[in-house]
Amino acid sequence: MKRRLTTYFFLIAALGIALSSIFGVWAYRDREISAARQTLVELLDLMDAQNYYTDPEAWAGQLQAAAPDKRLTIIAPDGTVLSDTYGDVTENHADRPEVVSALATGWGEAERKSETTGETLLYEAKQFTDGNVGRISTPISSVNALVMQGLVGFLVAAAVALALTLLLARKLAQKTAQPLEEKEEALEQEGEKLQVVRSEFAANVSHELKTPLTSIKGFTDMMNSGMVKDPEDQKRFISMIGVEVDRLIELINDVLKISELESVVMPQPDDRAVVRSVAEDCKAALEPMAQKGGITVTVSGDDAQVAMAPSRLRELLTNLMENGVKYNEPGGRVDVTVKRLEDKVAITVQDTGIGIPKENQDRVFERFYRVDKGRARKTGGTGLGLSIVKHIVLLYGGDITLESAPGKGSTFTMTFRPAEEGGKAVQ
């Protein structure tokens, strides 16, 4: 099971890293192309601003001195080449797309193979004040060279990320499978019951990981087969693939968060977080979702600090508040209250949502457990949020209780020790 889980986690993480790298390289090249175009435009504007009349020879000399890797061509309105830094050109350029556009609109651009040099060039053309057209080009190969230099960094980062992912996947698989293996030894005489537990866990993990991948494969197969020809349908399919990738990334992130929490031996002694400040940050981040669902989110109570890293508290509160918004009804509320007690700080997250039946309350902190599976799928939950909450609470020596009833909402109450400064609790 460890090997299988390691393979699953590694492949899913590798898919996310590969997609991120591909999109990153594409975005990097697009940025470099835009920067190259902007440079060419600025050079043409500078030339046009120097004199009212075009000075082909002088401008060609200036460009060769300042930017020898670029090509300048001065073209008369009838297409005759007046000068070219690459040498004498006799071909008429009236039919060049960038020249046609410049004569019609003042500016033109193109990316194509040069009939003169045989290189693929990026062209930018401008009609000068005297009517002639100035055209500057730069080889795409120079832009690609910059991209290749950046690609090395992408590949190194991807290799490091894959190596770390493999280590985390092995560790996560070991920690996930270890409790099951221990139970298998202790309950050897109850093999049937243990098999049910193992099968249920494996089915949950497999389902959570395979469902988005199956959807992605189905969408891509349909597009590759030519069944989706309409551009709007193609955009819609790409958008749906993006949604499924986001779900995979969310699942991977949640699983890695649990693994990270389980691997932490003890919190740092100087950890401290201002509860209301962190809660306000969470509220601001969830505001768009809350407004869309017609939910009111409030933060109130005492000013207090807890002995917890702000990032952990933010993660904890975000999970609870987001659940309160997701599993609520229009016009509902999610209220966060902070209260200073004698030797601890109490944080309450109360919502007016659908509530949790009594028989399910003991299991809501289990991994992949969902009370309402249909609604959870619709809202995009991974079934790991409350498990992460419980791990954080235990890591910082806190307690968490749940009070809930169907149709009456849920109240999560957590208590933590206050932060200390100079031997005294800071509240």
Side-chain angles (χ1 to χ4, degrees):
M1 175 175 284
K2 292 178 183 178
R3 182 176 298 177
R4 186 167 67 251
L5 288 175
T6 300
T7 302
Y8 285 156
F9 295 143
F10 178 75
L11 288 178
I12 296 303
L15 176 62
I17 292 170
L19 290 174
S20 299
S21 298
I22 291 171
F23 286 126
V25 171
W26 175 82
Y28 180 59
R29 184 181 186 277
D30 185 68
R31 187 188 68 182
E32 292 299 327
I33 289 290
S34 298
R37 281 202 178 99
Q38 183 60 33
T39 299
L40 299 181
V41 167
E42 291 173 355
L43 287 172
L44 289 172
D45 281 335
L46 182 62
M47 291 178 186
D48 195 28
Q50 289 183 11
N51 298 297
Y52 181 81
Y53 293 103
T54 305
D55 189 348
E57 299 302 328
W59 291 358
Q62 291 176 8
L63 183 70
Q64 283 185 317
D69 61 318
K70 295 177 174 57
R71 175 187 179 187
L72 171 65
T73 308
I74 306 297
I75 305 163
D78 62 357
T80 302
V81 176
L82 302 179
S83 69
D84 193 303
T85 55
Y86 275 27
D88 294 333
V89 178
T90 58
E91 295 91 343
N92 190 283
H93 280 43
D95 60 343
R96 302 298 195 270
E98 66 277 6
V99 176
V100 172
S101 178
L103 291 172
T105 66
W107 284 95
E109 62 181 40
E111 181 179 330
R112 57 182 172 77
K113 188 174 183 180
S114 170
E115 296 180 8
T116 303
T117 66
E119 288 186 287
T120 300
L121 301 175
L122 178 66
Y123 294 95
E124 198 71 37
K126 178 183 181 181
Q127 186 174 34
F128 292 143
T129 306
D130 62 357
N132 290 325
V133 174
R135 187 188 70 178
I136 295 184
S137 61
T138 189
I140 290 295
S141 59
S142 63
V143 178
N144 290 337
L146 289 175
V147 175
M148 290 303 295
Q149 293 176 6
L151 181 60
V152 174
F154 276 103
L155 292 176
V156 171
V160 172
L162 285 173
L164 293 176
T165 298
L166 180 58
L167 293 176
L168 287 174
R170 286 177 177 173
K171 194 170 186 177
L172 176 60
Q174 182 178 0
K175 287 186 173 293
T176 304
Q178 184 176 356
L180 294 178
E181 293 175 348
E182 291 175 354
K183 287 182 180 180
E184 188 174 10
E185 294 176 2
L187 303 175
E188 194 172 32
Q189 301 301 320
E190 301 179 20
E192 183 177 349
K193 179 178 178 181
L194 180 58
Q195 184 61 39
V196 171
V197 173
R198 293 184 62 186
S199 298
E200 181 181 353
F201 178 78
N204 284 336
V205 174
S206 299
H207 184 70
E208 294 296 335
L209 296 174
K210 290 181 179 179
T211 298
L213 284 177
T214 301
S215 299
I216 293 172
K217 187 177 187 303
F219 294 145
T220 55
D221 286 347
M222 292 182 67
M223 295 181 69
N224 288 334
S225 66
M227 295 175 61
V228 184
K229 298 181 179 180
D230 184 77
E232 292 300 322
D233 288 340
Q234 292 177 353
K235 290 181 181 178
R236 181 167 57 86
F237 271 63
I238 292 174
S239 176
M240 289 188 289
I241 290 173
V243 171
E244 296 300 332
V245 170
D246 288 342
R247 289 180 179 176
L248 284 172
I249 293 174
E250 182 182 4
L251 175 60
I252 293 169
N253 286 339
D254 282 353
V255 172
L256 293 178
K257 286 174 186 175
I258 291 178
S259 177
E260 179 189 357
L261 289 169
E262 289 180 339
S263 66
V264 175
V265 178
M266 61 183 298
Q268 296 299 314
D270 57 345
D271 284 342
R272 63 182 64 248
V274 181
V275 181
R276 285 191 58 180
S277 176
V278 173
E280 289 288 356
D281 291 342
C282 298
K283 172 186 173 183
L286 294 171
E287 195 64 33
M289 179 189 295
Q291 290 181 355
K292 184 177 180 181
I295 310 301
T296 300
V297 181
T298 67
V299 176
S300 61
D302 303 325
D303 291 325
Q305 295 185 33
V306 293
M308 179 186 300
S311 60
R312 298 294 191 202
L313 180 59
R314 185 177 297 107
E315 195 169 6
L316 182 152
L317 291 177
T318 296
N319 273 295
L320 292 176
M321 294 167 69
E322 185 175 18
N323 280 351
V325 173
K326 283 183 178 179
Y327 301 101
N328 217 317
E329 303 295 345
R333 297 177 58 84
V334 176
D335 299 311
V336 181
T337 306
V338 184
K339 187 174 183 179
R340 291 183 298 183
L341 304 176
E342 183 176 352
D343 58 351
K344 56 188 175 181
V345 176
I347 307 171
T348 302
V349 179
Q350 183 176 22
D351 65 66
T352 59
I354 60 176
I356 302 172
K358 184 69 175 178
E359 62 271 18
N360 299 116
Q361 293 180 17
D362 291 337
R363 300 193 60 193
V364 294
F365 295 105
E366 294 179 10
R367 299 172 185 174
F368 299 112
Y369 186 79
R370 299 181 177 91
V371 177
D372 186 345
K373 295 184 178 180
R375 181 158 184 164
R377 297 287 184 196
K378 183 178 180 181
T379 55
T382 63
L384 295 171
L386 290 180
S387 180
I388 292 174
V389 168
K390 186 65 175 286
H391 275 76
I392 295 175
V393 171
L394 293 177
L395 174 64
Y396 288 94
D399 293 309
I400 183 169
T401 59
L402 167 63
E403 295 180 10
S404 184
K408 295 185 179 179
S410 302
T411 301
F412 292 87
T413 302
M414 297 154 290
T415 56
F416 298 97
R417 64 183 180 87
E420 295 182 357
E421 187 172 294
K424 295 183 179 179
V426 177
Q427 298 188 1

